[in-house]
Amino acid sequence: MDETPKDYGAPVYLKGSHRNDVVDDQAVFVDIEQKGLEDYKDKLLEFRTMPGDMLIWHPRTIHKVDGPADGIWTSYRRVLGGTVAKGGSIYHDKRGSGGVLSDLGRHGLQDGQKLKSSFFPIVYPQFDKQEAAERDSGKVGRNPVDIVTKIGGLATKASGERFNSFFQVLGSRS
């Protein structure tokens, strides 16, 4: 990560919000004023990252990044995002379900199979040299056709339903 700009852009998390039982698992945007989040909405944790920092959080943690008050970004920062799965995890095919930009690679896994592929590298407890060789050879990567297909999928009914939470939050602000 690059350094967070001085006045905006720092990731903010609601401490303990991964334990909430009111936000739907499919929600993309969350109105922190909704009933059931009272215990979390005032417990803000802000992190001003520096080059080389890494942030890891639970996938259900409510979080945001605020932009500048005037809406004009005068500086940008590079970040690298990723997802971690514990050993023994099962692959779930999200194509056609509003999985927006998931699965941009051609790993060949089918729904319900064990998550084992060079597209999903093992990093602990031991680095897998064969996986690294497959990535180095170019076998692992993104396909432009898949990317275009996924972007086209943003307009599907399933994606519209997934982003319903965003429109509910917008509606609550009027």
Side-chain angles (χ1 to χ4, degrees):
M1 294 182 121
D2 288 336
E3 184 173 351
T4 301
K6 180 182 173 195
D7 299 318
Y8 57 86
V12 179
Y13 302 84
L14 296 185
K15 184 177 181 180
S17 62
H18 64 286
R19 296 185 192 102
N20 87 79
D21 59 3
V22 297
V23 176
D24 183 87
D25 286 341
Q26 300 301 312
V28 176
F29 298 93
V30 177
D31 182 353
I32 65 170
E33 299 299 326
Q34 79 181 64
K35 186 176 177 167
L37 294 179
E38 299 84 2
D39 293 342
Y40 311 106
K41 70 179 187 173
D42 295 322
K43 296 179 182 175
L44 303 176
L45 298 174
E46 181 177 282
F47 296 91
R48 296 248 163 229
T49 57
M50 297 298 290
D53 286 351
M54 176 187 286
L55 296 175
I56 300 174
W57 63 92
H58 190 282
R60 287 187 46 82
T61 300
I62 298 170
H63 59 285
K64 67 176 181 172
V65 173
D66 288 326
D70 63 5
I72 300 171
W73 290 75
T74 57
S75 64
Y76 297 91
R77 63 186 175 91
R78 294 168 298 171
V79 299
L80 176 64
T83 302
V84 176
K86 65 181 184 177
S89 292
I90 303 299
Y91 171 72
H92 293 289
D93 187 345
K94 292 185 173 186
R95 289 176 294 182
S97 68
V100 190
L101 294 176
S102 61
D103 282 352
L104 294 177
R106 295 193 174 183
H107 48 71
L109 294 175
Q110 300 295 316
D111 192 64
Q113 287 184 313
K114 187 174 178 181
L115 193 63
K116 176 137 179 63
S117 164
S118 297
F119 282 83
F120 307 99
I122 297 171
V123 295
Y124 180 85
Q126 185 174 349
F127 181 76
D128 186 319
K129 291 180 182 177
Q130 180 181 346
E131 288 180 348
E134 289 178 5
R135 287 189 299 278
D136 290 346
S137 73
K139 179 180 176 187
V140 176
R142 304 293 187 240
N143 181 295
V145 173
D146 293 336
I147 294 169
V148 170
T149 301
K150 285 290 183 176
I151 291 172
L154 289 172
T156 67
K157 179 178 185 272
S159 288
E161 290 169 357
R162 173 160 295 212
F163 285 102
N164 184 43
S165 61
F166 171 72
F167 296 114
Q168 289 174 352
V169 171
L170 280 183
S172 71
R173 301 281 187 233
S174 35

